[in-house]
């Protein structure tokens, strides 16, 4: 049996260069327990050899920003993995059960009644959090770092927002201002020199304006909770500024609640932050799944290495008529691709294949928090089984449609006289992902 060995060269021209030079600045929003997502963003930048010029954050973003400025990813990750709400605050479990969920219309009354109760009782005691920050943050290391640093807080007495760069913060008080920036409304007010402070998210939750003020031209902002009007105005202004390259990352899948400090969820958040950032940097594509970008048409290569009679059978599975006396290339580009373009509403071969594979992956309920090559998905799909047990009319029709696609994938995989090897880039990507 003839074997064609397909060697895919290293994907040396990363499309991330379309977004940034290798010098960038980070802006990190507040968001409580969801902040561990930002560690995944940081790790993606490390793995792509970016140099961070500055980091500016609010609330948990100020805490993570301090960790990034200190430069020890493993230390920050291990610290996060050890945190639950007991290491941050002294509060009854029943109150945490309410506060750790995101506020919705249905829970709004319970949420505000708890907040009001906490405020009238001077708020949640946060001595454990104070100890954690004081024992973990190295002020000297941050002040001596080549990475610029800034945070946002709000003076509670006059409700005045303060955007503070490292030189604006008095020596020996950095940890206090980090705690002031992350002073959630339900916490006891944090006091610095007889002035009370509250969470900086009330003024600027995504302080891109601080990076702009520092003259940064390449800015990556990470948003894990709502923006303030000030943030939205800054975004609008930047949309008209051609000299500043502002790219935004936010969770593509739902995260837990603001105070849902659950170590069992942290690793999933880190993985999502990593994959979302790799997608923004151009190393991944896909909408619901994360597909490693490789400059290669897997479907075409498989089809062109199937005997013609088998290829005709493959087309018939999709009720397509194979054009006799025409080359396999002609049938691929003029018959099969137009059919897939019609059902996917995509135009490029890679986008068409992504859409088909994502639909089938969703149909089979494959893991949506792992990186795949297109070949990985083809193999997973060819060995997969239908997992949706519903029998509604819509589901049954969907099952028939996707069964045809699955039969097509199975058939061409079984009858392809070829071996396809993953690229060096995809193997390297997967190995780095495993090290998260």
């Amino acid at each position: 049996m003839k074997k064609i060995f397909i060697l895919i060269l290293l994907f040396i021209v990363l499309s991330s260069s379309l977004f940034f030079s290798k010098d960038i600045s980070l802006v990190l929003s507040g968001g409580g327990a969801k902040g561990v997502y930002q560690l995944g963003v940081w790790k993606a930048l490390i793995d792509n050899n970016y140099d961070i010029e500055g980091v500016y954050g609010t609330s948990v973003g100020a805490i993570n920003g301090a960790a990034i400025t200190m430069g020890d990813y493993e230390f920050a990750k291990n610290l996060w993995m050890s945190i639950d709400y007991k290491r941050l605050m002294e509060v009854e479990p029943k109150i945490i059960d309410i506060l750790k969920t995101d506020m919705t219309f249905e829970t709004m009354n319970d949420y505000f009644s708890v907040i009001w109760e906490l405020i009238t009782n001077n708020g949640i005691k946060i001595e454990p959090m104070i100890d954690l920050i004081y024992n973990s943050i190295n002020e000297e290391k941050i002040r001596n770092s080549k990475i610029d640093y800034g945070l946002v807080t709000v003076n509670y007495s006059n409700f005045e927002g303060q955007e503070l760069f490292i030189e604006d913060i008095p020596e020996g008080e950095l940890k206090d201002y980090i705690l002031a920036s992350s002073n959630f409304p339900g916490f006891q007010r944090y006091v610095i020199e007889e002035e009370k402070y509250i969470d900086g998210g009330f003024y600027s939750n995504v302080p891109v304006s601080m990076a702009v003020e520092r003259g940064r031209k390449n800015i990556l902002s990470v948003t894990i909770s709502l923006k303030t009007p000030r943030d939205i105005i800054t975004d609008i202004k930047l949309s008209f500024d051609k000299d500043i390259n502002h790219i935004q990352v936010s969770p593509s899948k739902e995260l837990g609640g603001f105070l849902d400090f659950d170590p069992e969820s942290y690793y999933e958040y880190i993985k999502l932050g990593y994959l979302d950032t790799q997608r923004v940097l151009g190393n991944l594509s896909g909408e619901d799944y994360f597909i490693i970008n490789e400059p290669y048409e897997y479907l075409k290569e498989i089809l062109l290495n199937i005997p013609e009679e088998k290829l005709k059978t493959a087309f018939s599975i999709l009720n397509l008529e194979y054009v006799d006396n025409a080359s396999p290339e002609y049938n691929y580009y003029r018959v099969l691709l137009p059919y897939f373009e019609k059902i996917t509403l995509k135009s490029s071969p890679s986008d068409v294949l992504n859409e088909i594979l994502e639909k089938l992956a969703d149909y089979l309920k494959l893991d949506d928090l792992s990186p795949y090559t297109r070949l990985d998905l083809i193999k997973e799909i060819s060995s997969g089984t239908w997992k949706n047990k519903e029998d509604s009319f819509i589901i049954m029709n969907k099952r028939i449609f996707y069964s045809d696609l699955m039969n097509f994938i199975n058939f061409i995989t079984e009858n392809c006289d070829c071996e396809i090897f993953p690229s060096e880039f995809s193997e390297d990507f997967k190995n780095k992902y495993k090290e998260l």
Side-chain angles (χ1 to χ4, degrees):
M1 181 173 65
K2 174 185 173 185
K3 291 189 177 183
I4 300 176
F5 293 90
I6 304 161
L7 300 176
I8 305 172
L9 297 177
L10 175 65
F11 194 18
I12 56 174
V13 183
L14 299 179
S15 52
S16 60
S17 61
L18 297 175
F19 296 96
F20 293 123
S21 70
K22 288 297 182 179
D23 296 321
I24 66 168
S25 289
L26 264 180
V27 176
L28 306 177
S29 82
K34 294 182 281 189
V36 70
Y37 172 92
Q38 296 169 348
L39 293 193
V41 177
W42 180 19
K43 187 62 166 65
L45 296 177
I46 292 171
D47 286 350
N48 283 278
N49 300 314
Y50 282 96
D51 290 322
I52 299 174
E53 295 179 304
V55 57
Y56 314 97
T58 297
S59 196
V60 72
I63 297 172
N64 285 333
I68 292 171
T69 307
M70 288 164 58
D72 191 337
Y73 170 78
E74 289 299 326
F75 172 79
K77 184 182 76 170
N78 292 334
L79 180 63
W80 262 103
M81 290 300 180
S82 70
I83 294 175
D84 59 18
Y85 76 87
K86 293 178 182 178
R87 287 203 68 189
L88 298 175
M89 61 196 82
E90 300 173 7
V91 64
E92 296 179 20
K94 66 178 182 180
I95 292 179
I96 285 296
D97 288 340
I98 294 174
L99 293 182
K100 72 180 183 180
T101 60
D102 279 334
M103 185 175 65
T104 64
F105 183 77
E106 290 78 12
T107 63
M108 189 179 299
N109 287 336
D110 289 339
Y111 205 89
F112 279 116
S113 65
V114 167
I115 294 293
W116 179 249
E117 180 182 345
L118 292 172
I119 290 174
T120 55
N121 290 312
N122 296 319
I124 297 173
K125 294 180 180 180
I126 57 167
E127 276 72 16
M129 180 177 174
I130 294 171
D131 290 341
L132 185 67
I133 294 297
Y134 262 77
N135 292 328
S136 304
I137 300 298
N138 186 324
E139 179 171 345
E140 181 180 2
K141 199 169 186 178
I142 293 172
R143 291 189 181 276
N144 293 331
S145 173
K146 68 174 184 177
I147 300 174
D148 190 28
Y149 178 75
L151 57 78
V152 182
T153 188
V154 174
N155 188 307
Y156 189 66
S157 61
N158 56 18
F159 221 72
E160 179 182 280
Q162 297 181 359
E163 294 181 338
L164 304 173
F165 295 104
I166 187 65
E167 68 272 16
D168 301 323
I169 300 171
E171 292 273 355
E173 295 184 5
L174 177 60
K175 299 172 186 179
D176 293 312
Y177 276 92
I178 290 173
L179 286 161
S181 177
S182 52
N183 193 251
F184 175 69
F187 293 168
Q188 287 184 344
R189 295 286 67 78
Y190 198 76
V191 180
I192 304 175
E193 296 180 356
E194 299 184 357
E195 291 284 353
K196 293 182 179 180
Y197 289 87
I198 195 171
D199 198 291
F202 283 98
Y203 179 66
S204 177
N205 197 40
V206 193
V208 175
S209 58
M210 296 188 73
V212 174
E213 185 177 341
R214 283 300 215 205
R216 308 305 183 191
K217 299 301 182 183
N218 295 310
I219 303 169
L220 177 68
S221 62
V222 186
T223 306
I224 53 176
S225 58
L226 294 177
K227 295 182 177 182
T228 66
R230 177 177 174 82
D231 301 329
I232 294 170
I233 291 171
T234 300
D235 286 348
I236 293 172
K237 288 180 179 179
L238 288 184
S239 68
F240 295 100
D241 192 332
K242 296 181 180 179
D243 293 329
I244 295 179
N245 190 13
H246 177 211
I247 303 299
Q248 303 183 58
V249 176
S250 58
S252 60
K253 305 181 190 302
E254 187 174 349
L255 302 180
F258 184 85
L259 292 181
D260 190 8
F261 290 97
D262 180 8
E264 293 184 3
S265 302
Y266 294 160
Y267 185 49
E268 300 298 301
Y269 292 4
I270 291 174
K271 290 195 294 185
L272 183 59
Y274 185 86
L275 293 172
D276 281 340
T277 305
Q278 293 282 12
R279 181 189 277 159
V280 165
L281 296 178
N283 297 325
L284 299 175
S285 56
E287 295 178 6
D288 298 318
Y289 286 80
F290 297 97
I291 302 173
I292 300 172
N293 279 334
E294 296 175 294
Y296 189 74
E297 291 186 52
Y298 282 113
L299 184 60
K300 174 186 174 184
E301 194 60 44
I302 290 173
L303 289 172
L304 297 188
N305 286 284
I306 294 177
E308 189 171 21
E309 288 305 312
K310 296 288 187 180
L311 194 55
K312 291 179 181 180
T313 303
F315 275 51
S316 69
I317 292 173
L318 299 175
N319 296 315
L320 297 176
E321 187 173 342
Y322 187 89
V323 179
D324 291 319
N325 302 319
S327 67
E329 288 90 343
Y330 179 92
N331 279 280
Y332 172 73
Y333 284 112
R334 296 301 182 89
V335 180
L336 185 63
L337 267 186
Y339 168 75
F340 282 153
E341 288 170 358
K342 183 178 180 180
I343 64 175
T344 63
L345 302 178
K346 304 292 183 181
S347 55
S348 75
S350 59
D351 288 342
V352 166
L353 183 55
N354 280 1
E355 184 75 8
I356 293 293
L357 294 176
E358 286 198 276
K359 287 181 182 295
L360 290 172
D362 181 61
Y363 170 85
L364 295 171
K365 306 303 177 190
L366 298 184
D367 178 15
D368 63 357
L369 203 56
S370 292
Y372 298 92
T373 64
R374 294 179 180 92
L375 183 61
D376 290 334
L377 284 174
I378 288 172
K379 290 179 178 179
E380 291 279 352
I381 289 164
S382 66
S383 61
T385 56
W386 171 248
K387 294 183 180 180
N388 194 319
K389 303 302 183 182
E390 297 180 37
D391 289 322
S392 70
F393 177 78
I394 294 177
I395 291 296
M396 291 181 69
N397 277 277
K398 189 175 181 180
R399 188 181 306 179
I400 292 170
F401 172 71
Y402 286 133
S403 292
D404 288 343
L405 287 178
M406 282 188 63
N407 289 336
F408 173 78
I409 294 293
N410 289 339
F411 185 85
I412 64 174
T413 303
E414 291 171 359
N415 290 278
C416 177
D417 188 16
C418 59
E419 290 186 9
I420 300 177
F421 298 105
S423 70
E424 183 179 342
F425 174 72
S426 65
E427 289 297 285
D428 182 60
F429 188 100
K430 290 179 185 178
N431 288 334
K432 288 178 177 177
Y433 178 77
K434 291 176 183 177
E435 295 171 358
L436 287 178

